[in-house]
Amino acid sequence: MRRGLLLNLALSGATALVFLAVLEGAARLLEKPRPPRPQVADYIWDWDDKMPGGFYVMKSDAAGWPPWEEFNRDGLRDRTRTREKPEGHARVAILGDSVTFGAETRPDEAFPQRLEARFGAAGLRVEVMNVGLMGWSTRQQRIAWQRIARAYEPDLALLAVCLNDIPELFNNLSRPPRWLARLHAGSALVRLVVNAEGREIDSVERLFAEPEAPRVREAMDRFFEEVRALRREVEADGASFAMVVFPFRFQVEEGAPRPVVQERVASFCASEGLRCLDLLPTLGRLGPAAFGDCDHLSPGGAA
């Protein structure tokens, strides 16, 4: 009896395999040629490739902030600070990415350092922490709050948003498991069932060209959820929370598209009662000179 049961199971399995093979063959016959996959802009990081584990800081043995130490003991491009705020000082933690980090500029030219210097020149006792690294998106900025910034008890956490944060979150958080990705690459039947074409967002420009596309709407929703989660943690720690939004250079050039992304962010912030500063009008007055490349600020733009 047991032998007969095993035989039936083997026959059933073989039949299923033959049936799947027939379906795979039919799917391959019916499958239309796939267009080449668009190359994703290099400012949208694949976290598995660029930062395994989804987070990183720079390695540093710094004990202070002499001129030859670019990174502090937390692995950030900022001077080493005491955990306790100096008496009579306010403290701001700016959570950001390479724009906050000050890519392609000297450390003292990054906008958080420029801001702290301007406060000091005006006689205001305000510390401005630069909590930003290359490739960080809103998810990494939330982790940075948890692991680094909250220990310094800032009065304000300022989320510095660069527009590539939005597609980067979407591409990484909506990516299928590795086993499914391998099946998708090798099986026409899986491609037919999953219908995943066009899921990835390849550039910031896509947010403006297809604002009503399902993937763009989902990307905006995922970004807003990350902002809500970060805000809850910041406020639970007793700090205030606000946002500042940086544009891309193409938005200050001739023929720029309508700023639909900034409009959606402004609408979200209004509905959430969240303070938010859109820097497109300010940087727009400087034009392309505000940028060193497609998104990073020039020293003049940072100032």
Side-chain angles (χ1 to χ4, degrees):
M1 183 176 177
R2 182 178 180 183
R3 187 175 179 181
L5 179 60
L6 291 174
L7 181 61
N8 286 335
L9 288 173
L11 288 171
S12 298
T15 302
L17 287 174
V18 170
F19 181 66
L20 287 174
V22 170
L23 288 178
E24 176 67 23
R28 293 192 178 204
L29 287 172
L30 295 173
E31 186 175 38
K32 297 178 181 179
R34 289 183 293 166
R37 180 181 175 185
Q39 183 175 357
V40 177
D42 58 8
Y43 54 72
I44 299 176
W45 279 23
D46 179 331
W47 297 345
D48 290 340
D49 178 51
K50 297 286 191 178
M51 50 176 130
F55 184 74
Y56 81 100
V57 294
M58 301 301 293
K59 291 183 179 179
S60 175
D61 297 323
W65 181 242
W68 58 88
E69 291 179 350
E70 187 169 2
F71 298 97
N72 66 15
R73 65 188 176 200
D74 294 312
L76 301 173
R77 198 188 197 196
D78 191 29
R79 65 182 175 86
T80 296
R81 302 174 187 274
T82 60
R83 290 300 174 103
E84 292 186 1
K85 281 178 291 189
E87 186 175 354
H89 282 64
R91 180 173 278 169
V92 178
I94 300 184
L95 307 169
D97 61 3
S98 53
V99 174
T100 300
F101 171 88
E104 311 301 327
T105 63
R106 301 193 314 265
D108 63 317
E109 292 177 329
F111 83 84
Q113 279 87 329
R114 299 293 293 263
L115 184 58
E116 183 174 69
R118 291 181 69 173
F119 279 136
L124 301 172
R125 294 186 289 182
V126 182
E127 288 192 343
V128 182
M129 298 174 60
N130 187 331
V131 188
L133 284 177
M134 306 280 285
W136 277 8
S137 188
T138 320
R139 173 63 58 90
Q140 287 75 36
Q141 290 148 18
R142 181 153 65 95
I143 296 172
W145 174 263
Q146 297 166 348
R147 298 185 184 180
I148 302 171
R150 70 173 10 146
Y152 291 88
E153 299 184 350
D155 301 284
L156 170 68
L158 182 65
L159 178 63
V161 177
C162 189
L163 298 185
N164 62 295
D165 295 347
I166 299 167
E168 189 169 295
L169 275 171
F170 175 75
N171 289 357
N172 283 279
L173 298 182
S174 64
R175 186 168 290 134
R178 289 183 182 274
W179 63 267
L180 181 56
R182 285 194 290 267
L183 282 176
H184 188 272
S187 170
L189 179 59
V190 172
R191 289 192 290 272
L192 178 65
V193 172
V194 173
N195 190 27
E197 296 301 323
R199 287 286 298 168
E200 203 164 46
I201 299 178
D202 59 336
S203 68
V204 165
E205 286 86 346
R206 187 77 60 190
L207 303 177
F208 295 85
E210 303 174 7
E212 301 305 321
R215 60 180 171 174
V216 173
R217 285 193 165 275
E218 186 178 347
M220 296 299 300
D221 288 341
R222 283 184 180 270
F223 168 68
F224 294 148
E225 282 304 311
E226 284 294 318
V227 173
R228 289 190 185 100
L230 175 56
R231 182 188 188 182
R232 285 193 297 268
E233 294 196 29
V234 167
E235 293 182 344
D237 289 330
S240 299
F241 181 77
M243 287 172 57
V244 59
V245 181
F246 288 92
F248 259 51
R249 185 176 64 187
F250 71 83
Q251 292 192 272
V252 303
E253 295 176 334
E254 187 176 351
R258 176 183 152 196
V260 290
V261 177
Q262 280 91 344
E263 291 170 2
R264 283 186 175 172
V265 172
S267 177
F268 163 77
C269 291
S271 67
E272 299 280 324
L274 175 58
R275 291 175 296 166
C276 181
L277 176 64
D278 176 10
L279 283 176
L280 176 57
T282 299
L283 293 174
R285 291 196 289 270
L286 286 176
F291 295 87
D293 54 24
C294 65
D295 59 341
H296 298 121
L297 298 176
S298 65

